[in-house]
Amino acid sequence: MSKKINIFMALLLMALISIVGIGKVDATRIYHSEGACSYHLNFPEEFLIVEKQNNINKFTALAANGHVVYCYEHGIKALNHQNGDGSIVGPSYVTYTPNLGSSYVDRALAYGYSAADSSETPSCSTDRAATQLMVWFGAKADKAGSSYVTKLTQLTQSDLTTMTDSTIGAKAYAIKQMMVNHKIIPSFAKATEASAASAEDRMELKYSETNRNFSNSQTDSKGVLSSWTKGTDPTGITSSVSGNTLTITSKNDSVTTPLKFSKTFKAISTAYIRSGQSYSGTRVQGTKYVEPKNESMDAYVGYKYEKIGKGTVKIHKIDKYTGKNMKGATFGIFSDDACSKKAVNYLGKELPAKKSDKNGLIEWNDLYYPLKLGESRTYYVKEVDPILEGYALDSDQLEKLGAKNNCIPVKVTADWKENTSGTPLGAQILEDHEKVVQAVY
């Protein structure tokens, strides 16, 4: 542990301050100097913290990975925390429990610049200056509470650039975004796959007859989606992310597996703290340091489908004279009165020709048609492979059914079935959807 203490004793911080104005905002102009590393930061006065201990200024320094020390005292000169003979005046470091959930200083250290310099010499960089800036903002947010957390959240890149320069401002803004978005999931996502699959507020995919699919887009109101990585889409689903907007398209409304997103956040596995002390008027700078690590987190987005009417067309093949059900007659279903274009289901898949079963029945399901009450759509059926042995089509019956060139029109009309609350569920009852096709022996 003594090596860690010596490391921090060697990293001394000095800062001189003078008061200047930024527009109408009072600010402290901080000259931060450590060897060859120096920069100016115009820090808003309302965020300054100066704590007193025994009527003298009390200081705290913070570090990431034990290599870089960031001061907490906002430009007040930090004195050596050794006696003149080099002996340590403060207690040894002890472990402490960091709290990324509530401490913005811990977040600034975890997400900010961490040197990995084996010589223990802090490098001078814009990354470090940006991290120092956000440590100060984080310190005020931790101490003053929700009002300053809100102000921290609302800081823009332009605000931070005004305090320093464009390069440091851009880096500070990137750190700030990671600080305020720590473990925040998109507004329409859930923490578990099960909760996403059953959520009442999950995205509803709307049906498009033109495209023969279900699709919709939703924008993340928290503005964090763009920083998450989308996993592999479930079979039958195509999804894309543009900025903070998610678009989901489905060609199969039986697929309900939620989309998976992942993101790497920071965690802190090890943290140490050494309290600031004062002896005979000597000011001592207390020190913390943390060792960040990466931690993966998943979030899930569920979806549901717009309820649409799915029609059914039935054919019943019988012997005209005996009423016997006739098995084996093959019919096709078409979308035009010439029976040249095969009908498709609501997802655009062609409906195959079918043979009548032992009960003389053929049925095609999942036809889409308008949901407005009373609207109808006409399909056409034709016996494409008749039962030839001993039978012929009944021309009188075909004429009665309105057939042309043996193409029999079948009108599907929307009716309503309501649930117990009176809300229409869609066209569920079909009128005039079944045709009795007779054959003459």
Side-chain angles (χ1 to χ4, degrees), residues 59-123:
F59 311 111
T60 303
L62 310 111
N65 281 341
H67 294 290
V68 178
V69 175
Y70 302 101
C71 67
Y72 187 101
E73 70 280 3
H74 311 296
I76 306 299
K77 183 178 180 181
L79 300 185
N80 194 343
H81 49 259
Q82 287 180 306
N83 285 327
D85 61 1
S87 61
I88 302 168
V89 297
S92 299
Y93 285 95
V94 295
T95 59
Y96 84 100
T97 303
N99 189 345
L100 289 180
S102 61
S103 172
Y104 286 88
V105 163
D106 283 349
R107 292 188 192 184
L109 294 178
Y111 287 105
Y113 169 66
S114 302
D117 188 342
S118 59
S119 69
E120 308 296 353
T121 303
S123 58

Coordinates of all heavy atoms in Angstrom, one line a residue, residues 59-123:
F59 N -9.2 19.6 1.1 CA -9.1 19.2 -0.3 C -9.3 17.7 -0.5 O -9.1 17.0 0.4 CB -7.7 19.6 -0.8 CG -7.3 21.0 -0.5 CD1 -6.3 21.2 0.4 CD2 -8.0 22.1 -1.1 CE1 -5.9 22.5 0.7 CE2 -7.6 23.4 -0.8 CZ -6.6 23.6 0.1
T60 N -9.7 17.4 -1.7 CA -9.8 16.0 -2.1 C -9.2 15.8 -3.5 O -9.4 16.7 -4.3 CB -11.2 15.5 -2.1 OG1 -11.8 15.7 -0.8 CG2 -11.3 14.0 -2.4
A61 N -8.4 14.8 -3.7 CA -8.0 14.5 -5.0 C -8.5 13.1 -5.4 O -8.8 12.3 -4.6 CB -6.4 14.5 -5.1
L62 N -8.7 12.9 -6.7 CA -9.3 11.7 -7.2 C -8.5 11.2 -8.3 O -7.9 11.9 -9.1 CB -10.7 11.9 -7.6 CG -11.6 12.7 -6.6 CD1 -11.9 14.1 -7.1 CD2 -12.8 11.9 -6.3
A63 N -8.5 9.9 -8.5 CA -7.6 9.3 -9.6 C -8.3 8.1 -10.2 O -9.0 7.4 -9.5 CB -6.3 8.9 -9.0
A64 N -8.0 7.8 -11.4 CA -8.4 6.6 -12.1 C -7.2 5.7 -12.4 O -6.2 6.2 -12.9 CB -9.1 7.0 -13.4
N65 N -7.4 4.5 -12.0 CA -6.3 3.5 -12.2 C -5.1 3.8 -11.4 O -4.0 3.3 -11.6 CB -5.9 3.3 -13.7 CG -6.9 2.4 -14.4 OD1 -7.6 1.7 -13.8 ND2 -6.9 2.5 -15.7
G66 N -5.2 4.8 -10.5 CA -4.0 5.1 -9.6 C -2.9 5.8 -10.3 O -1.8 6.0 -9.8
H67 N -3.1 6.3 -11.5 CA -2.1 6.9 -12.3 C -2.2 8.4 -12.4 O -1.3 9.2 -12.5 CB -2.0 6.3 -13.7 CG -1.5 4.9 -13.7 ND1 -0.3 4.5 -13.3 CD2 -2.2 3.8 -13.9 CE1 -0.2 3.2 -13.4 NE2 -1.4 2.7 -13.8
V68 N -3.5 8.9 -12.5 CA -3.7 10.3 -12.8 C -4.5 10.9 -11.6 O -5.6 10.3 -11.3 CB -4.4 10.6 -14.1 CG1 -4.7 12.0 -14.3 CG2 -3.6 10.0 -15.3
V69 N -4.1 12.0 -11.0 CA -4.8 12.6 -9.9 C -5.6 13.8 -10.5 O -5.0 14.6 -11.1 CB -3.9 13.0 -8.8 CG1 -4.6 13.7 -7.7 CG2 -3.2 11.8 -8.2
Y70 N -6.9 13.9 -10.1 CA -7.7 15.0 -10.5 C -8.1 15.7 -9.2 O -8.6 15.1 -8.2 CB -9.0 14.6 -11.2 CG -8.6 13.8 -12.5 CD1 -8.7 12.4 -12.5 CD2 -8.2 14.5 -13.6 CE1 -8.4 11.7 -13.7 CE2 -7.9 13.8 -14.8 CZ -7.9 12.4 -14.8 OH -7.6 11.7 -15.9
C71 N -7.9 17.0 -9.1 CA -8.3 17.7 -7.9 C -9.8 18.0 -7.8 O -10.5 18.1 -8.8 CB -7.4 19.0 -7.7 SG -7.8 20.3 -8.9
Y72 N -10.2 18.2 -6.5 CA -11.6 18.3 -6.2 C -11.9 19.7 -5.7 O -13.0 20.1 -5.4 CB -11.9 17.2 -5.1 CG -13.3 17.0 -4.7 CD1 -14.0 15.9 -5.1 CD2 -13.8 17.8 -3.7 CE1 -15.2 15.6 -4.6 CE2 -15.1 17.6 -3.2 CZ -15.8 16.5 -3.7 OH -17.0 16.2 -3.2
E73 N -10.8 20.5 -5.5 CA -11.0 21.7 -4.7 C -11.1 22.9 -5.6 O -11.1 24.0 -5.2 CB -9.8 21.9 -3.7 CG -8.5 22.2 -4.4 CD -7.8 21.0 -4.9 OE1 -8.3 19.9 -4.9 OE2 -6.7 21.1 -5.5
H74 N -11.2 22.7 -6.9 CA -11.6 23.8 -7.9 C -10.6 25.0 -7.8 O -11.0 26.1 -7.7 CB -13.0 24.3 -7.6 CG -14.0 23.2 -7.5 ND1 -14.2 22.3 -8.6 CD2 -14.7 22.7 -6.5 CE1 -15.1 21.4 -8.2 NE2 -15.4 21.6 -7.0
G75 N -9.4 24.7 -8.0 CA -8.4 25.8 -8.2 C -7.7 26.3 -7.0 O -6.8 27.1 -7.1
I76 N -8.2 25.9 -5.8 CA -7.5 26.3 -4.6 C -6.2 25.5 -4.5 O -6.2 24.4 -4.8 CB -8.3 26.0 -3.3 CG1 -9.7 26.7 -3.4 CG2 -7.6 26.6 -2.1 CD1 -9.7 28.1 -3.6
K77 N -5.1 26.2 -4.2 CA -3.8 25.6 -4.2 C -3.7 24.4 -3.3 O -4.1 24.5 -2.1 CB -2.7 26.6 -3.8 CG -1.3 26.0 -3.9 CD -0.3 27.0 -3.5 CE 1.1 26.4 -3.6 NZ 2.2 27.4 -3.2
A78 N -3.3 23.2 -3.8 CA -3.2 22.0 -3.0 C -1.8 21.9 -2.5 O -0.8 21.9 -3.2 CB -3.5 20.8 -3.8
L79 N -1.7 21.8 -1.1 CA -0.4 21.7 -0.5 C 0.1 20.3 -0.4 O -0.7 19.3 -0.5 CB -0.4 22.3 0.9 CG -0.8 23.8 0.9 CD1 -0.6 24.3 2.3 CD2 0.1 24.6 -0.1
N80 N 1.4 20.1 -0.2 CA 2.0 18.8 -0.1 C 1.4 18.1 1.1 O 1.2 18.7 2.2 CB 3.5 19.0 0.1 CG 4.3 17.7 -0.1 OD1 3.7 16.7 0.0 ND2 5.6 17.9 -0.2
H81 N 1.1 16.8 0.9 CA 0.7 16.1 2.1 C 1.8 15.2 2.7 O 1.6 14.0 2.9 CB -0.6 15.2 1.8 CG -0.5 14.4 0.5 ND1 -1.1 14.8 -0.6 CD2 0.0 13.1 0.3 CE1 -1.0 13.8 -1.5 NE2 -0.3 12.8 -1.0
Q82 N 3.0 15.8 2.8 CA 4.1 15.2 3.5 C 4.6 16.3 4.5 O 4.4 17.5 4.3 CB 5.2 14.8 2.6 CG 5.0 13.6 1.7 CD 6.2 13.4 0.8 OE1 6.6 14.2 0.1 NE2 6.7 12.2 0.9
N83 N 5.2 15.8 5.6 CA 5.9 16.7 6.4 C 7.2 17.1 5.7 O 7.6 16.5 4.7 CB 6.2 16.0 7.8 CG 5.0 16.0 8.6 OD1 4.1 16.9 8.6 ND2 4.8 14.9 9.4
G84 N 7.9 18.0 6.3 CA 9.2 18.5 5.7 C 10.2 17.4 5.6 O 11.0 17.4 4.7
D85 N 10.2 16.4 6.5 CA 11.1 15.3 6.4 C 10.7 14.2 5.5 O 11.3 13.1 5.4 CB 11.4 14.7 7.8 CG 10.2 14.1 8.4 OD1 9.1 14.2 7.8 OD2 10.3 13.7 9.6
G86 N 9.5 14.4 4.8 CA 9.0 13.4 3.9 C 8.1 12.3 4.5 O 7.6 11.5 3.8
S87 N 7.9 12.4 5.8 CA 7.0 11.4 6.5 C 5.5 11.7 6.1 O 5.2 12.9 5.8 CB 7.2 11.5 8.0 OG 6.9 12.8 8.5
I88 N 4.7 10.7 6.2 CA 3.3 10.8 5.8 C 2.5 11.4 7.0 O 2.7 11.0 8.1 CB 2.7 9.5 5.4 CG1 3.6 8.9 4.3 CG2 1.3 9.6 5.1 CD1 3.2 7.4 4.0
V89 N 1.7 12.4 6.7 CA 1.0 13.0 7.8 C -0.5 12.5 7.8 O -1.1 12.8 8.8 CB 1.0 14.6 7.6 CG1 2.4 15.1 7.8 CG2 0.3 15.0 6.3
G90 N -0.9 11.9 6.8 CA -2.3 11.4 6.8 C -2.3 9.9 7.0 O -1.3 9.2 7.1
P91 N -3.5 9.3 7.2 CA -3.6 7.9 7.4 C -3.4 7.1 6.1 O -3.3 7.7 5.0 CB -5.1 7.7 7.9 CG -5.8 8.9 7.2 CD -4.8 10.0 7.2
S92 N -3.2 5.8 6.2 CA -3.1 5.0 5.0 C -4.4 4.9 4.2 O -5.4 5.2 4.7 CB -2.7 3.6 5.4 OG -1.5 3.6 6.2
Y93 N -4.2 4.5 3.0 CA -5.4 4.3 2.1 C -6.2 3.1 2.7 O -5.7 2.1 3.1 CB -5.0 4.0 0.7 CG -4.5 5.2 -0.1 CD1 -3.2 5.5 -0.1 CD2 -5.4 6.0 -0.7 CE1 -2.7 6.6 -0.8 CE2 -5.0 7.1 -1.4 CZ -3.6 7.4 -1.4 OH -3.2 8.5 -2.1
V94 N -7.5 3.3 2.6 CA -8.4 2.2 2.9 C -9.4 2.0 1.7 O -9.6 2.9 1.0 CB -9.2 2.4 4.2 CG1 -8.3 2.5 5.4 CG2 -10.0 3.7 4.1
T95 N -9.9 0.8 1.6 CA -10.9 0.6 0.5 C -12.2 1.3 0.8 O -12.6 1.5 2.0 CB -11.2 -0.9 0.3 OG1 -11.7 -1.5 1.5 CG2 -9.9 -1.7 -0.1
Y96 N -12.8 1.7 -0.3 CA -14.2 2.3 -0.1 C -15.1 1.7 -1.2 O -14.6 1.2 -2.2 CB -14.2 3.8 -0.1 CG -14.2 4.5 -1.5 CD1 -15.4 5.0 -2.0 CD2 -13.0 4.6 -2.2 CE1 -15.4 5.6 -3.2 CE2 -13.0 5.2 -3.4 CZ -14.2 5.7 -3.9 OH -14.2 6.3 -5.2
T97 N -16.4 1.8 -1.0 CA -17.3 1.3 -2.0 C -17.8 2.4 -2.9 O -18.5 3.3 -2.5 CB -18.5 0.7 -1.3 OG1 -18.1 -0.4 -0.4 CG2 -19.5 0.1 -2.3
P98 N -17.4 2.4 -4.2 CA -17.8 3.5 -5.1 C -19.3 3.3 -5.4 O -19.8 2.1 -5.3 CB -16.9 3.3 -6.3 CG -16.6 1.8 -6.3 CD -16.5 1.4 -4.8
N99 N -19.9 4.3 -5.9 CA -21.3 4.2 -6.2 C -21.6 4.9 -7.6 O -21.9 6.1 -7.6 CB -22.2 4.8 -5.1 CG -23.7 4.5 -5.3 OD1 -24.1 4.1 -6.4 ND2 -24.4 4.7 -4.3
L100 N -21.4 4.1 -8.6 CA -21.7 4.7 -10.0 C -23.2 5.0 -10.1 O -23.6 5.8 -11.0 CB -21.2 3.8 -11.1 CG -19.7 3.7 -11.2 CD1 -19.4 2.7 -12.3 CD2 -19.1 5.0 -11.5
G101 N -24.0 4.4 -9.3 CA -25.5 4.7 -9.4 C -25.8 6.1 -9.0 O -26.8 6.7 -9.5
S102 N -25.1 6.7 -8.1 CA -25.4 8.0 -7.6 C -24.3 9.0 -7.6 O -24.6 10.2 -7.4 CB -26.0 7.9 -6.1 OG -25.0 7.4 -5.3
S103 N -23.0 8.6 -7.7 CA -21.9 9.5 -7.6 C -21.4 9.9 -9.0 O -20.9 9.1 -9.7 CB -20.8 8.9 -6.8 OG -19.6 9.8 -6.9
Y104 N -21.6 11.2 -9.3 CA -21.1 11.7 -10.6 C -19.6 11.8 -10.6 O -19.0 11.8 -11.7 CB -21.8 13.0 -11.0 CG -23.3 12.7 -11.4 CD1 -24.3 12.6 -10.4 CD2 -23.6 12.4 -12.7 CE1 -25.6 12.3 -10.8 CE2 -24.9 12.1 -13.0 CZ -25.9 12.1 -12.1 OH -27.2 11.7 -12.4
V105 N -19.0 12.0 -9.5 CA -17.5 12.0 -9.4 C -17.0 10.6 -9.8 O -16.1 10.5 -10.6 CB -17.0 12.4 -8.1 CG1 -15.5 12.1 -7.9 CG2 -17.1 13.9 -7.9
D106 N -17.6 9.6 -9.2 CA -17.2 8.2 -9.6 C -17.4 8.0 -11.1 O -16.6 7.3 -11.7 CB -17.9 7.2 -8.7 CG -17.4 7.1 -7.3 OD1 -16.3 7.7 -7.0 OD2 -18.1 6.5 -6.5
R107 N -18.4 8.5 -11.6 CA -18.7 8.3 -13.0 C -17.7 9.0 -13.9 O -17.2 8.5 -14.9 CB -20.1 8.8 -13.4 CG -21.2 8.0 -12.8 CD -22.6 8.4 -13.4 NE -23.7 7.8 -12.7 CZ -25.0 8.0 -13.0 NH1 -25.3 8.8 -14.0 NH2 -25.9 7.5 -12.3
A108 N -17.3 10.3 -13.4 CA -16.3 11.0 -14.2 C -15.0 10.3 -14.2 O -14.3 10.2 -15.2 CB -16.1 12.4 -13.5
L109 N -14.6 9.7 -13.1 CA -13.4 8.9 -13.0 C -13.4 7.6 -13.9 O -12.5 7.2 -14.5 CB -13.0 8.5 -11.6 CG -12.7 9.7 -10.6 CD1 -12.5 9.2 -9.2 CD2 -11.5 10.5 -11.1
A110 N -14.6 7.0 -13.8 CA -14.7 5.7 -14.5 C -14.7 5.9 -16.0 O -14.2 5.1 -16.8 CB -16.0 5.0 -14.1
Y111 N -15.4 7.0 -16.5 CA -15.5 7.2 -17.9 C -14.5 8.2 -18.5 O -14.3 8.3 -19.7 CB -16.9 7.8 -18.3 CG -18.0 6.7 -18.1 CD1 -18.9 6.7 -17.1 CD2 -18.2 5.7 -19.1 CE1 -19.9 5.7 -17.0 CE2 -19.1 4.8 -19.0 CZ -20.0 4.8 -17.9 OH -21.0 3.8 -17.8
G112 N -13.8 8.9 -17.6 CA -12.8 9.9 -18.1 C -11.5 9.2 -18.5 O -11.4 8.0 -18.6
Y113 N -10.5 10.1 -18.7 CA -9.2 9.6 -19.2 C -8.5 8.9 -18.1 O -8.3 9.5 -17.0 CB -8.4 10.8 -19.7 CG -7.0 10.6 -20.0 CD1 -6.6 9.7 -21.0 CD2 -6.0 11.2 -19.2 CE1 -5.3 9.5 -21.3 CE2 -4.7 10.9 -19.5 CZ -4.3 10.1 -20.6 OH -3.0 9.8 -20.8
S114 N -8.0 7.7 -18.3 CA -7.2 7.0 -17.4 C -5.8 6.7 -18.0 O -5.7 6.0 -18.9 CB -7.8 5.7 -17.0 OG -9.1 5.9 -16.5
A115 N -4.7 7.3 -17.4 CA -3.4 7.1 -17.9 C -3.0 5.7 -17.6 O -3.4 5.1 -16.6 CB -2.4 8.1 -17.3
A116 N -2.1 5.1 -18.4 CA -1.6 3.8 -18.1 C -0.1 3.9 -18.3 O 0.5 3.2 -19.1 CB -2.2 2.7 -19.1
D117 N 0.5 4.8 -17.5 CA 1.9 5.1 -17.7 C 2.7 4.4 -16.6 O 2.6 4.6 -15.4 CB 2.1 6.6 -17.6 CG 3.5 7.1 -17.9 OD1 4.4 6.2 -17.9 OD2 3.6 8.3 -18.2
S118 N 3.6 3.4 -17.0 CA 4.3 2.6 -16.1 C 5.3 3.5 -15.2 O 5.7 3.0 -14.1 CB 5.1 1.5 -16.8 OG 6.0 2.1 -17.7
S119 N 5.6 4.6 -15.7 CA 6.5 5.5 -14.9 C 5.8 6.3 -13.9 O 6.4 7.0 -13.1 CB 7.3 6.5 -15.9 OG 6.3 7.4 -16.4
E120 N 4.5 6.1 -13.8 CA 3.7 6.8 -12.9 C 3.7 8.4 -13.1 O 3.3 9.1 -12.2 CB 4.1 6.5 -11.4 CG 4.2 5.1 -11.1 CD 2.8 4.4 -11.2 OE1 1.8 5.0 -11.3 OE2 2.8 3.1 -11.1
T121 N 4.1 8.8 -14.3 CA 4.1 10.2 -14.6 C 2.9 10.6 -15.4 O 2.7 10.1 -16.5 CB 5.4 10.6 -15.4 OG1 6.5 10.2 -14.6 CG2 5.4 12.1 -15.7
P122 N 2.0 11.4 -14.9 CA 0.8 11.8 -15.6 C 1.1 12.5 -16.9 O 2.0 13.3 -17.0 CB 0.1 12.7 -14.7 CG 0.7 12.5 -13.3 CD 2.1 12.1 -13.6
S123 N 0.5 12.0 -18.0 CA 0.7 12.7 -19.3 C -0.1 13.9 -19.4 O -1.2 14.0 -18.7 CB 0.4 11.7 -20.4 OG -1.0 11.3 -20.3

